[in-house]
Amino acid sequence: DYAQAENDDWFLPPEDLKILDPIGEGQFGTVFKGHLMLPDSQTHTEVAVKTLKEESSISDRDKFLAEAFTMKKFNHPHIINLLGVVQEDRKPPWIVMELAEHGELRGYLHRRGSSLTISTLLMFTEQVCSALDYLECEHKVVHRDVAARNVLVFSDVVVKLADFGLSRHIEEEGYYKASKGRLPIKWMAPESINFRRFTNASDVWMFGVCIWELFMLGVKPFRGIKNSEVISMIESGHRLELPAKMPGPLYQLIYKCWSYEPSDRPTFKSLVTSIKQLMDNYSEG
Ligand code: ADP
């Protein structure tokens, strides 16, 4: 039981939270902008509030809270920070998170488009990569849904990884075996598609697709192609092409993320190092 597993700081007093305009639609309900009163009772901070539809089932409620429970454990500059949960008697719970001012990465890329520099895109690449390295090394967690739609933009220089609805702690076997359900095939590694096998190496594959979307300024992968065709394309060695804005050396890195054999893919740790080197080269001109 999530409520028992956590201590007091998990719950926020309902009177401290003011709900404002809706900002998005999630799987379980609407996401609102809000104001959360700080402990000094004088100032408030802007937050995002995930709500659960009134008519949700118990199992939806559990899944909804499971995501919050997962997020609570993380503390990283490029992972959305959970502030707490509001639970009033007989009402569905609310999840309160820090607000990403500029919203979803894809929308941001569509709006800003060509005004974004290669250095900025490389910086976002490094930020997402460092968040995934943190999940792997500090928490033994696989995210399972690394995609541009799950990256939120805080400011013109900061992006954060969100949406831990599919993330799982991996047990001793070192992988997570998913049961049937809707899965993002076009982002997935072949072993995840074929055997529902999810590891940090399959997150690395997905990271490659996410960075491809970033440099394509929000174009989705394999547009207009059926999921079933994508699988056979991948099997026969086809990969996403070089985006116009992507530096060649970065493409070489993400191409390695798409190695068929999971063990041939780089680790997030080595990717962070390589991306930082690329950033240095770029800032030097
Ligand atoms: P779900 O995973 O349940 O589908 P999301 O977490 O993707 O829901 O949230 C739905 C939408 O709400 C997002 O696409 C985004 O537009 C908005 N949103 C969610 N969290 C935040 C946040 N912390 N800051 C700003 N917008 C957010």
Side-chain angles (χ1 to χ4, degrees), residues 159-266:
V159 293
K160 300 199 187 197
L161 190 59
D163 208 333
F164 290 83
L166 288 182
S167 71
R168 294 291 182 276
H169 187 263
I170 47 178
E171 307 301 336
E172 294 76 58
E173 308 86 39
Y175 71 95
Y176 175 78
K177 180 96 163 60
S179 51
K180 284 216 166 5
R182 280 200 305 138
L183 291 169
I185 298 292
K186 290 176 180 177
W187 282 259
M188 280 160 61
E191 73 277 10
S192 305
I193 298 174
N194 293 330
F195 311 114
R196 299 194 172 245
R197 192 183 163 98
F198 292 87
T199 60
N200 293 109
S202 65
D203 271 3
V204 165
W205 176 294
M206 298 186 102
F207 167 74
V209 180
C210 176
I211 297 315
W212 182 91
E213 294 180 279
L214 173 65
F215 279 81
M216 289 295 285
L217 303 177
V219 173
K220 288 188 187 172
F222 304 109
R223 209 167 34 165
I225 304 174
K226 289 202 198 88
N227 280 346
S228 55
E229 287 172 37
V230 169
I231 299 169
S232 39
M233 281 166 73
I234 296 289
E235 293 283 346
S236 62
H238 182 282
R239 295 294 182 267
L240 292 164
E241 71 281 15
L242 170 70
K245 276 198 165 235
M246 187 180 283
L250 179 61
Y251 187 65
Q252 283 168 16
L253 275 183
I254 68 164
Y255 204 87
K256 288 196 195 120
C257 298
W258 300 327
S259 302
Y260 195 85
E261 279 300 321
S263 59
D264 291 341
R265 296 174 205 151

Side-chain angles (χ1 to χ4, degrees), residues 119-188:
S119 310
T120 302
L121 297 177
L122 279 172
M123 187 171 63
F124 289 171
T125 302
E126 194 274 328
Q127 293 177 354
V128 174
C129 196
S130 73
L132 289 162
D133 175 50
Y134 168 84
L135 289 181
E136 171 175 6
C137 295
E138 308 285 321
H139 291 279
K140 297 197 176 358
V141 157
V142 284
H143 186 282
R144 298 208 300 145
D145 202 7
V146 185
R149 65 178 167 277
N150 290 328
V151 176
L152 297 175
V153 184
F154 266 63
S155 73
D156 291 325
V157 290
V158 177
V159 293
K160 300 199 187 197
L161 190 59
D163 208 333
F164 290 83
L166 288 182
S167 71
R168 294 291 182 276
H169 187 263
I170 47 178
E171 307 301 336
E172 294 76 58
E173 308 86 39
Y175 71 95
Y176 175 78
K177 180 96 163 60
S179 51
K180 284 216 166 5
R182 280 200 305 138
L183 291 169
I185 298 292
K186 290 176 180 177
W187 282 259
M188 280 160 61

Side-chain angles (χ1 to χ4, degrees), residues 23-28 31 48 50 67 80 97-101 103-104 149-150 152 163:
I23 49 174
E25 207 49 56
Q27 190 195 336
F28 299 108
V31 179
K50 272 193 167 190
E67 181 176 354
I80 290 272
M97 309 168 284
E98 58 180 343
L99 178 76
E101 196 71 55
E104 286 175 30
R149 65 178 167 277
N150 290 328
L152 297 175
D163 208 333

